[in-house]
Amino acid sequence: MSARSTGLTKDAGWQVGVSRTLPQSPATVWEFISGPRGLELWLGAGARLTPEPGAGYETDAGASGEVRGYRPGDRIRVTYGDTTVQVAVSAAGGGRSVLVFHQERMAGPEERERQRAHWRRVMDRVAEELDRPA
C-alpha cells in the first residue's frame, strides 16, 4: 500500500484515528468526555446529546447529527455531517486510560489530514482540562 492510500479503507472511505494514554482513570475520562464540557470540546460549543441511538443533536454553530451508538463508560458514536465520529475510552492499566477519537467516511486524503490535526488539538485540550485541579 502506498503512503497516498494510508487511511483509505474498503468499506468506510477515508478514516483517521487519534489516541492518547491519559493518567486519569477510565471512569474519570468517561465522565468528562460524555459530560457537557467534554461534548463541547469534541462536538462543538453548545453540543448536547441524548445517550440513545437515533437521538439527534445540534451545536451552537449549526452542526448536527445523530447518535448511532452509546455504550456508557465505553464509547459514543455519532454522525457528523457526512462522516461518523467515535470517541472511546478504555483501561490502560495502572489506573490510566486510553482515549481514542476515530472519524470515518471522509471525502479524501486532504480532509483526513485536516481532521487528524483537528483531533490532535481536541486531544490536547481534553488532556489540559483533565489535568486541571477539580
Side-chain angles (χ1 to χ4, degrees):
M1 211 181 226
S2 71
R4 181 181 310 230
S5 50
T6 298
L8 181 59
T9 68
K10 181 179 175 188
D11 299 323
W14 291 90
Q15 65 178 355
V16 68
V18 172
S19 66
R20 186 175 298 174
T21 301
L22 299 167
Q24 294 83 10
S25 71
T28 298
V29 174
W30 176 261
E31 183 179 330
F32 177 77
I33 208 69
S34 66
R37 181 69 185 127
L39 287 170
E40 286 194 349
L41 284 178
W42 67 275
L43 278 177
R48 301 288 181 267
L49 59 81
T50 302
E52 35 187 74
Y57 74 87
E58 189 169 346
T59 69
D60 291 348
S64 63
E66 177 182 298
V67 176
R68 291 293 171 95
Y70 193 100
R71 293 197 312 222
D74 183 41
R75 68 191 64 231
I76 303 169
R77 188 170 174 83
V78 299
T79 60
Y80 191 89
D82 293 332
T83 71
T84 301
V85 173
Q86 178 172 282
V87 59
V89 179
S90 61
R96 299 173 307 151
S97 60
V98 175
L99 177 61
V100 178
F101 292 103
H102 182 264
Q103 188 171 8
E104 60 189 34
R105 304 200 183 284
M106 291 177 284
E110 297 82 13
E111 182 180 10
R112 179 179 185 270
E113 289 309 309
R114 273 194 313 277
Q115 290 307 105
R116 178 199 310 276
H118 166 76
W119 292 119
R120 285 179 173 164
R121 286 189 303 272
V122 169
M123 189 70 80
D124 288 345
R125 293 176 64 201
V126 167
E128 287 169 13
E129 292 275 336
L130 285 167
D131 279 343
R132 287 196 177 134

